[in-house]
Amino acid sequence: MFGLLASGVRVINVDQTWIGDTNFARRKWRQRGVPNSVAVSTVFPRVSMMLAISTVGEYYCSLYQVNTDSKMFCLFLSKLAEKLTKEDKDWRANTVILCDGARYQTSKESQTYMRALGFRVVITAPYSYASSPVEYAFAFFKSVDINPGRQKTGKK
């Protein structure tokens, strides 16, 4: 990876997380002996987030309400490829996609699709959070209450 970065290649880290609720206040520092619980358990529709962050500060994001599978990953990649082409027609020459090896990323369907789109891909070892900058973005996003006004988030 260091060799790629030293050669000027842009690395785009792509991953997915799900957002099970919109108030992450239960994830907080507390004094010893004080419970870290929330009095009311609120259930919201599950939202998934696919996020791509590049080494030059670009980010690309999609929110959706279905489980992430190879089809969703390929859809995200197709839109990402369209966006990258609008920004730079020669992006394939200087861009590498970094994935964490999730099943939907390493499936035959996804691998075939990434090759067809012209993506060069690097797969990290499973659970390599330190080598996946997108994980830090997820951690930051989930560290705050993203719906302080308690706006309705469901279909009702």
Side-chain angles (χ1 to χ4, degrees), residues 19 21-24 140-150:
I19 305 165
D21 58 31
T22 59
N23 182 356
F24 299 98
F140 175 77
F141 183 81
K142 291 181 176 184
S143 72
V144 297
D145 184 357
I146 61 172
N147 189 5
R150 302 289 168 253

Side-chain angles (χ1 to χ4, degrees), residues 1-11 55 94 96:
M1 186 61 61
F2 290 121
L4 287 172
L5 292 170
S7 70
V9 168
R10 168 179 59 177
V11 177
T55 50
N94 66 2
V96 172

Side-chain angles (χ1 to χ4, degrees), residues 120-137:
R120 292 187 294 163
V121 180
V122 172
I123 305 287
T124 65
Y127 308 106
S128 299
Y129 299 113
S131 64
S132 297
V134 73
E135 294 296 340
Y136 295 102

Side-chain angles (χ1 to χ4, degrees), residues 15-156:
D15 203 1
Q16 177 272 342
T17 190
W18 63 273
I19 305 165
D21 58 31
T22 59
N23 182 356
F24 299 98
R26 72 180 185 283
R27 297 184 182 135
K28 61 181 185 236
W29 290 100
R30 64 186 178 359
Q31 292 179 347
R32 184 180 302 255
V34 176
N36 195 18
S37 59
V38 177
V40 178
S41 177
T42 306
V43 177
F44 295 99
R46 180 175 160 166
V47 174
S48 294
M49 174 192 290
M50 184 82 62
L51 184 61
I53 297 178
S54 81
T55 50
V56 294
E58 304 151 327
Y59 64 93
Y60 310 90
C61 183
S62 179
L63 299 172
Y64 47 95
Q65 284 190 299
V66 297
N67 288 332
T68 302
D69 59 9
S70 297
K71 289 180 182 13
M72 283 304 299
F73 183 60
C74 290
L75 177 60
F76 180 81
L77 291 177
S78 70
K79 298 301 181 183
L80 179 60
E82 285 177 23
K83 181 73 173 154
L84 294 174
T85 300
K86 286 180 184 175
E87 295 171 358
D88 175 11
K89 291 181 176 134
D90 296 324
W91 64 268
R92 288 171 180 87
N94 66 2
T95 301
V96 172
I97 299 296
L98 176 66
C99 298
D100 68 0
R103 185 169 291 164
Y104 66 88
Q105 296 171 341
T106 58
S107 71
K108 184 176 181 179
E109 178 183 1
S110 294
Q111 291 293 309
T112 300
Y113 197 71
M114 285 189 277
R115 278 192 300 276
L117 289 172
F119 283 110
R120 292 187 294 163
V121 180
V122 172
I123 305 287
T124 65
Y127 308 106
S128 299
Y129 299 113
S131 64
S132 297
V134 73
E135 294 296 340
Y136 295 102
F138 291 150
F140 175 77
F141 183 81
K142 291 181 176 184
S143 72
V144 297
D145 184 357
I146 61 172
N147 189 5
R150 302 289 168 253
Q151 300 298 314
K152 299 279 185 201
T153 59
K155 296 179 181 178
K156 296 178 183 179

